[in-house]
Amino acid sequence: MQLEFSPEEIAFQQEVRTFIAENYPENLRSVQDEGHDLSKEDFLSWHRILAKKGWIAPAWPVEYGGTGWTATQRFIWSEELAAADCVGTMPFGLSMVGPVIYTFGTPEQKAQFLPGILSGDDWWCQGYSEPGAGSDLASLRTKAVRDGDHYVVNGQKTWTTMAQHADWGFFLVRTDSDAKAQEGISFLLINMKTPGVTVRPIITLGGEHEVNEVWLEDVRVPVANRIYEENKGWTCAKFLLAHERTGIAAVARSKRGVEKIKSIARTEQDGDRPLIANPFFKRKIAELEIDLTALEFTELRSLAGEAAGKGPGPESSLLKIKGSEIQQRITELALEAVGHYGAPYFRGFGEGDNEHPIGPDYAHRAAPTYFNTRKTTIYGGSNEIQRNIIAKMVLGI
């Protein structure tokens, strides 16, 4: 494996750094620095800049709007975005349903949906999990009954991230109740403004309105919005989850997270010395960096396979497990580093209040982020399920 960038790749890296420095929105940086919640428009402001540049979907094939970058260039891109603390683009359209549509969709579906994903005009959400079907997703009960040129959909989805902003959602629904669990599922694209779709907020431990429950009551969905064959949606679902799990690893952002912890530990005091000098804390950082480096090499091997024409496979479960656990460890260390300043994690004292949170700015988000990150080992298929996949598909047991 070649571990050093070529001169061409170093030039590309500099081009990326210059572009980010000159184009990242200043108002967005201010919102991030002050620890405020990001609005839909905040996310889209950066999305539209990248779309105009043609850099919004690096992993897509060129014919559908991708950049044509190599796997190494995409790695450099993710590293530079993380190093510059750029807000992430929403993955539901770009990294999840977009690849499903250009892989399994009809020419008409590609023409209808891909441009809006690239431009940001269409915001997507994911309708997979249900109250009784999380890790055991194939037990889902949301039902779609064929009625002429439409399906009539009834059921409930939960933990639907950012559904309050969504224009469209991609949903797994049961179209054959008599078939085996995985064989009676279809993959539908549903306009979230359709009568019968109701989005209700779920407030998380960190105080955010990030996830929702979605109710579907006699929702009429055109058959033309079904991706791939009826009752074959599990094929699309597995394909999508493999892409999602690879992205969950978030190696570049975790590396940036470790650097932030080091910076905090140089500032916070442990008695008469900086916290970074505490041998027990230093050991935790070292162990974290060792595991993160190992994960990075695993991701690079996955990228090398992808460059050779191999799509994401069972190794995506390895990336998901270790990546999500490392993210949790980072937020635990950050909360430990800020100490008692992490306790009063008020997200503002109410509308119109002008009180400022207690402690340094870097402490304000430590506790909410810690609580929110408890989910990483659950979403995208719980880590227990990922270990089952590895046991079966990698170890053959």
Side-chain angles (χ1 to χ4, degrees):
M1 183 185 294
Q2 177 58 257
L3 299 180
E4 295 183 356
F5 293 145
S6 68
E8 293 78 14
E9 289 163 346
I10 292 173
F12 173 77
Q13 184 182 50
Q14 187 56 53
E15 179 187 3
V16 168
R17 286 181 182 175
T18 301
F19 174 79
I20 293 173
E22 294 179 352
N23 292 276
Y24 195 72
E26 284 297 325
N27 64 311
L28 184 53
R29 179 72 67 202
S30 298
V31 172
Q32 291 174 268
D33 290 345
E34 293 169 9
H36 297 310
D37 289 338
L38 296 173
S39 67
K40 179 178 181 179
E41 190 53 42
D42 288 332
F43 283 107
L44 288 178
S45 64
W46 180 226
H47 182 119
R48 292 185 182 117
I49 291 170
L50 294 177
K52 184 177 179 180
K53 178 69 173 177
W55 287 3
I56 191 61
W60 286 26
V62 173
E63 61 265 35
Y64 299 123
T67 58
W69 291 345
T70 64
T72 302
Q73 286 176 310
R74 296 201 301 273
F75 173 78
I76 291 171
W77 173 241
S78 64
E79 289 275 310
E80 294 303 319
L81 288 174
D85 281 330
C86 296
V87 65
T89 53
M90 283 292 105
F92 306 106
L94 293 168
S95 303
M96 297 184 189
V97 76
V100 169
I101 292 171
Y102 67 63
T103 302
F104 298 98
T106 65
E108 293 77 15
Q109 289 169 334
K110 295 173 188 178
Q112 178 181 356
F113 294 108
L114 295 183
I117 294 173
L118 291 172
S119 67
D121 290 343
D122 293 330
W123 182 293
W124 288 78
C125 65
Q126 179 183 24
Y128 271 30
S129 296
E130 299 183 3
S135 296
D136 183 19
L137 186 57
S139 65
L140 64 89
R141 299 175 63 183
T142 295
K143 192 171 183 179
V145 178
R146 184 76 176 260
D147 181 22
D149 293 333
H150 287 76
Y151 290 105
V152 179
V153 182
N154 284 277
Q156 180 189 0
K157 298 292 181 178
T158 194
W159 311 123
T160 314
T161 303
M162 298 295 182
Q164 70 268 32
H165 300 314
D167 304 294
W168 286 86
F170 51 96
F171 288 76
L172 292 182
V173 298
R174 187 160 302 285
T175 43
D176 186 348
S177 300
D178 297 324
K180 283 178 161 182
Q182 289 91 340
E183 295 176 3
I185 292 172
S186 296
F187 192 102
L188 295 185
L189 310 182
I190 299 180
N191 188 320
M192 296 295 287
K193 306 301 187 291
T194 306
V197 177
T198 303
V199 178
R200 297 173 182 166
I202 300 173
I203 305 303
T204 66
L205 277 173
E208 304 98 341
H209 176 197
E210 181 183 42
V211 292
N212 305 268
E213 58 180 4
V214 177
W215 293 84
L216 304 148
E217 300 172 281
D218 293 329
V219 177
R220 295 186 66 82
V221 181
V223 173
N225 287 8
R226 185 193 71 228
I227 301 294
Y228 202 44
E229 302 172 25
E230 185 173 275
N231 299 325
K232 300 296 183 182
W234 194 248
T235 300
C236 300
K238 289 190 298 181
F239 175 88
L240 184 149
L241 284 170
H243 281 266
E244 180 184 2
R245 288 164 187 159
T246 302
I248 289 172
V251 172
R253 294 195 179 276
S254 288
K255 288 168 66 176
R256 179 60 180 148
V258 172
E259 291 304 315
K260 289 181 179 179
I261 291 173
K262 289 181 179 179
S263 177
I264 293 171
R266 294 187 190 102
T267 303
E268 291 296 315
Q269 291 296 113
D270 177 38
D272 59 354
R273 61 183 177 179
L275 179 60
I276 194 70
N278 181 303
F280 297 102
F281 196 82
K282 285 174 67 175
R283 176 171 179 163
K284 291 178 183 179
I285 292 178
E287 290 173 341
L288 185 58
E289 288 189 298
I290 290 169
D291 285 350
L292 185 53
T293 300
L295 179 65
E296 182 177 15
F297 278 97
T298 303
E299 183 182 53
L300 289 171
R301 286 197 297 270
S302 179
L303 288 172
E306 185 179 339
K310 178 186 174 185
E315 68 274 10
S316 64
S317 293
L318 292 167
L319 292 169
K320 196 274 178 179
I321 291 171
K322 202 64 181 178
S324 59
E325 291 176 348
I326 285 173
Q327 290 166 48
Q328 290 183 342
R329 287 164 62 190
I330 288 172
T331 62
E332 289 168 7
L333 267 186
L335 189 58
E336 180 179 342
V338 302
H340 57 274
Y341 287 125
Y345 63 95
F346 301 111
R347 303 173 55 77
F349 292 84
E351 289 296 325
D353 286 344
N354 59 4
E355 296 286 347
H356 194 270
I358 299 168
D361 289 345
Y362 56 71
H364 301 165
R365 295 288 305 161
T369 302
Y370 166 81
F371 286 121
N372 190 280
T373 310
R374 299 306 92 195
K375 69 189 179 187
T376 61
T377 50
I378 301 173
Y379 64 51
S382 70
N383 284 12
E384 290 78 7
I385 293 297
Q386 301 316 306
R387 290 184 172 90
N388 288 344
I389 292 172
I390 293 168
K392 180 179 179 181
M393 304 298 294
V394 179
L395 303 178
I397 57 177

